[in-house]
């Protein structure tokens, strides 16, 4: 069982920055790929970024490339999402998610919600214009 708790959301002006954190419980964090997704009102949940279990591979949605950075600290059981140059369209609830321990083929499934089996409660990010 894994519990995920996001923090770091809030209200920020366009062009500003926020750093989201996701703290995981349990002893399997370091063997799990992790992802960040977001969901705006009236829209489906969408992929934002993902990182392989050891941090050596990262993937991003096109709309955040060059602005967001995903990272992890396995010693702290935490994954981060640094968000810079925020835009009003980035407004959403941001969720972190954990993939099954040891799941292979990360580069083929990282963007699909169905491949993640644990989810946090989400943290609201609001970007004002």
């Amino acid at each position: 069982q894994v519990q995920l708790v996001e923090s770091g959301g809030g209200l920020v002006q366009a062009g500003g920055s926020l750093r989201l954190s996701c703290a995981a419980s349990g002893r399997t964090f370091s063997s799990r790929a992790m992802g960040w997704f977001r969901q705006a009102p009236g829209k489906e949940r969408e992929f934002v970024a993902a990182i392989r279990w050891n941090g050596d591979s990262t993937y991003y949605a096109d709309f955040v490339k060059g602005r967001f950075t995903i990272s992890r600290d396995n010693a702290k059981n935490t994954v981060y999402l640094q968000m810079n140059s925020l835009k009003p369209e980035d407004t959403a609830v941001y969720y972190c998610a954990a993939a099954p321990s040891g799941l292979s083929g990360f580069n083929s499934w990282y963007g699909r919600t169905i491949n993640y089996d644990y989810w946090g409660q989400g943290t609201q990010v609001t970007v004002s214009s």
Side-chain angles (χ1 to χ4, degrees):
Q1 189 80 356
V2 175
Q3 290 186 325
L4 304 173
V5 180
E6 302 98 333
S7 62
L11 174 65
V12 64
Q13 289 188 332
S17 298
L18 284 174
R19 188 195 196 201
L20 305 184
S21 298
C22 174
S25 67
R27 294 179 291 179
T28 62
F29 175 81
S30 62
S31 65
R32 296 176 180 268
M34 298 294 294
W36 284 98
F37 292 77
R38 71 186 187 185
Q39 188 166 19
K43 295 188 176 181
E44 292 188 353
R45 192 167 298 189
E46 63 181 356
F47 168 73
V48 175
I51 187 167
R52 200 163 169 259
W53 64 274
N54 61 358
D56 69 348
S57 295
T58 56
Y59 296 89
Y60 298 92
D62 287 344
F63 53 77
V64 303
K65 282 182 180 177
R67 300 189 298 126
F68 292 10
T69 303
I70 188 172
S71 62
R72 67 189 298 160
D73 185 338
N74 285 346
K76 295 182 178 180
N77 275 19
T78 302
V79 63
Y80 305 96
L81 186 68
Q82 177 67 43
M83 305 187 295
N84 299 328
S85 302
L86 283 161
K87 305 175 182 180
E89 52 264 43
D90 293 319
T91 295
V93 177
Y94 283 71
Y95 298 90
C96 72
S101 182
L103 189 63
S104 61
F106 176 64
N107 61 350
S108 66
W109 54 258
Y110 61 85
R112 287 178 275 177
T113 58
I114 196 172
N115 292 309
Y116 293 81
D117 55 356
Y118 292 101
W119 293 81
Q121 83 289 347
T123 185
Q124 176 70 46
V125 171
T126 303
V127 184
S128 63
S129 58

